[in-house]
Amino acid sequence: MMRTISLSVLMVTLLGVGTIQSQVFIDQTDLSGMANAGLYSTDCSWGDYDNDGWLDLYVTNWGTATSVPINALYHNEGASSFVDVALAAGVDVLGNSSASAFADYDNDGFLDLYVADFFDQDRLFNSNGDGTFTEVGRSGGLIDLQRQGSVVSIAWGDYDNDGYLDVYLGKYYFANDFYANLGDGTFRQIRDLGLGDARDAKDVSWCDYDNDGDLDLYIVNRDQENRLYRNDLSESSSFVELGASLGVANDEIGQGAAWGDYDGDGDSDLYVANVGANALYRNENGAAFVDVAVSAGIRVDEVGWFSAGAVWSDLDGDGNLDLYVASGADRQPQTDLVYLANGDGSFRNSTAEAGALPPQVVSFRSAVAVGDYDGNGSPDIYATDGMNYQELGNSLFQNQTEEDRFIKIIVKGKGGGQGGTNVDGIGARVLLYDNEGAIAGTRNIVSPNGVIFGVEPGQLYRIEVTFPVSGIVAERSDVVGGTDTIRIVEP
């Protein structure tokens, strides 16, 4: 299908920001070769698996009467060009894959890959360091040989701050699974921390919502109350479920969760995407959450409310987090939505001016992921389509905002076994200060791909990173807005 995307550049005035160029996306799907045409895609994960400095993408697929569901590993060739190397890399999984996630679980400097299958056994692929992988899940103790339930979501995070990434698996039809990383390449299933939620978990995510230095866990359940588990290991050697008491026990037909400090007060807020009304939970300093989706203008949209997932990112580089909502869940057609922040805690539907999917084109989204695939510092978008074999297909949207409006920060920990954070810094907290000493943004490291802040071009900033295991704070001063990628390494 030939795609027609508006490339118009609009000038808008944002509260407290001044006049800047509005965000513009260009659809690069056809040029990139990443349409994944003819397949029913279920999930996607960005990660530089071969350490060449360019983000690659893994896409999981589902079988249909007309398609063979082989997963794809798209290697980034530069210039918006990708090549599927799944077969050569050893990750050409054939089955009904439901989710995937990159993580360097053994701290060797190369990303490994977990792939979930809805009906068959999951796979854990360990990187060989040469662009290929070896399947090690069964030998490493990570795969549930009893095959109870169906895994649909994956979250890597260092729950016990030992410097090694653990993994939580959200399931349908059985209690969720939790595996602790033993630091020697193997895992042990954990059942005594109160995390075995037996609802149909659609999405799982780690986040230190109370800023106490350890990761908490949020679970989005389908048509059942969601759960928020506070990490109390330092006091009670367990997690405590507080979803209802803190006000985030949403019971819509849940699809996904996105954490981000949209109001700039230093703590992570929570957006929940549903088939039904969405929710924006403003974090009240870790003591409670308040649903402000109505006043923020992102509860429902006039085109429908069949949200499949969402990601926070400063799409237009104005210093405020924006929201991209992938739409068309449960095979209900709907256009994707782009909400740009007004700078006062509210948002406006900017889908048309953003140049994403034209209003007349609908999608049947299953997942969305943000990543700077072209290396210019601005956040790009990839979204998978659950009716790809019949309709539009997956989409790659390249961000056209000027690169001098961003700072990208990559965080590296020392690794486990020496009192250090995992090598990709998962769980670290990043603060950006402007030249007057005011906080210009807060991000938590949740992936190996780092974080991106919108900035004023040429302005001086200071970066402060707090590492969760050692508690060490690393700083970088006199960083200029629009500078190339900044790397912060745990001392």
Side-chain angles (χ1 to χ4, degrees), residues 31-53:
L31 175 65
S32 70
M34 298 171 72
N36 210 44
L39 295 172
Y40 182 151
S41 300
T42 56
D43 195 24
C44 56
S45 303
W46 290 108
D48 181 11
Y49 78 93
D50 56 354
N51 287 350
D52 66 352

Side-chain angles (χ1 to χ4, degrees), residues 190-203:
I190 303 295
R191 300 183 182 276
D192 59 354
L193 294 179
L195 293 174
D197 190 38
R199 302 158 193 265
D200 289 338
K202 192 66 170 61
D203 188 34

Side-chain angles (χ1 to χ4, degrees), residues 260-262 312-314 318-323 339 341 347 442-443:
D261 181 17
Y262 85 95
W312 290 107
S313 192
D314 187 353
D318 69 347
N320 300 303
L321 281 182
D322 309 302
L323 193 66
Y339 292 105
F347 298 80
T442 307
R443 304 284 191 276

Side-chain angles (χ1 to χ4, degrees), residues 124-136:
L124 174 64
F125 294 98
N126 181 260
S127 173
N128 297 318
D130 60 359
T132 66
F133 296 81
T134 299
E135 203 282 314
V136 297

Side-chain angles (χ1 to χ4, degrees), residues 172-183:
Y172 274 16
Y173 315 133
F174 199 76
N176 299 336
D177 279 342
F178 183 38
Y179 291 91
N181 190 333
L182 301 182

Side-chain angles (χ1 to χ4, degrees), residues 70 92 219 230 232 289 305 321 351 359 398:
I70 299 178
D92 53 325
I219 301 175
R230 187 180 67 199
D232 279 356
F289 290 82
W305 51 5
L321 281 182
T351 308
Q398 184 183 42

Side-chain angles (χ1 to χ4, degrees), residues 259-301:
W259 291 94
D261 181 17
Y262 85 95
D263 55 359
D265 65 352
D267 50 31
S268 294
D269 310 294
L270 175 65
Y271 189 75
V272 178
N274 297 311
V275 174
N278 296 341
L280 172 59
Y281 294 109
R282 188 182 65 213
N283 191 334
E284 301 292 307
N285 199 31
F289 290 82
V290 177
D291 187 358
V292 296
V294 173
S295 61
I298 50 178
R299 179 175 182 267
V300 297
D301 194 88

